[in-house]
Amino acid sequence: MTYRGILPSTDLSLQSISGGVKEDIILNSASAPTSFLFPLTLQGLAASVTPQGEVAYTDATGTVRAITPQGYMQDSADPLHKVGAVSQGVTYTLVPSSTGGQALQVS
C-alpha cells in the first residue's frame, strides 16, 4: 500500500512481511524533507539506539523484545544499471515527543 503526498514530494509505502512491516519513504524530488518523526507508543518497553544503529525495545528486565533494523537509502534506478546506489547513511535519534513519550527521528 502506498500513501502518496504524506509530506511535500514524499510518499510512504508499507509492505507486510513476516514478523512485521517494511516501510519505504519515497522522496520524489530534491526538495523533499530529509528528516521524519515517528511518535512511539510503548507500553512496558523502552527504546534505545544501539551502537549498530538499530533501535532496540527492551522490557523492565532488560530483555530485548523487538528491533527496528538499521535504515538505509537507495537512489532511483540508474537507467544503465537498473539499480540505484545504496547507502547506510540513515540515522536514528530518539527525541521527546509532543505527547510526553519518545519519538523516533529518522534522518
Side-chain angles (χ1 to χ4, degrees):
M1 164 135 324
T2 299
Y3 297 93
R4 301 198 184 283
I6 62 160
L7 291 170
S9 300
T10 307
D11 299 336
L12 176 66
S13 176
L14 302 174
Q15 179 183 4
S16 177
I17 59 172
S18 176
V21 174
K22 169 70 175 114
E23 299 170 343
D24 289 315
I25 301 170
I26 303 156
L27 308 180
N28 297 309
S29 77
S31 65
T34 58
S35 184
F36 304 89
L37 196 61
F38 296 90
L40 302 175
T41 303
L42 304 174
Q43 294 180 357
L45 297 174
S48 62
V49 178
T50 71
Q52 296 78 27
E54 302 171 320
V55 180
Y57 304 91
T58 56
D59 65 17
T61 68
T63 302
V64 175
R65 296 297 179 173
I67 294 277
T68 299
Q70 180 184 15
Y72 66 93
M73 57 186 146
Q74 182 172 359
D75 262 345
S76 339
D78 168 329
L80 178 63
H81 299 100
K82 308 289 189 226
V83 171
V86 176
S87 168
Q88 299 298 324
V90 174
T91 59
Y92 294 145
T93 306
L94 292 167
V95 298
S97 77
S98 60
T99 60
Q102 288 180 303
L104 178 62
Q105 182 174 349
V106 179
S107 302

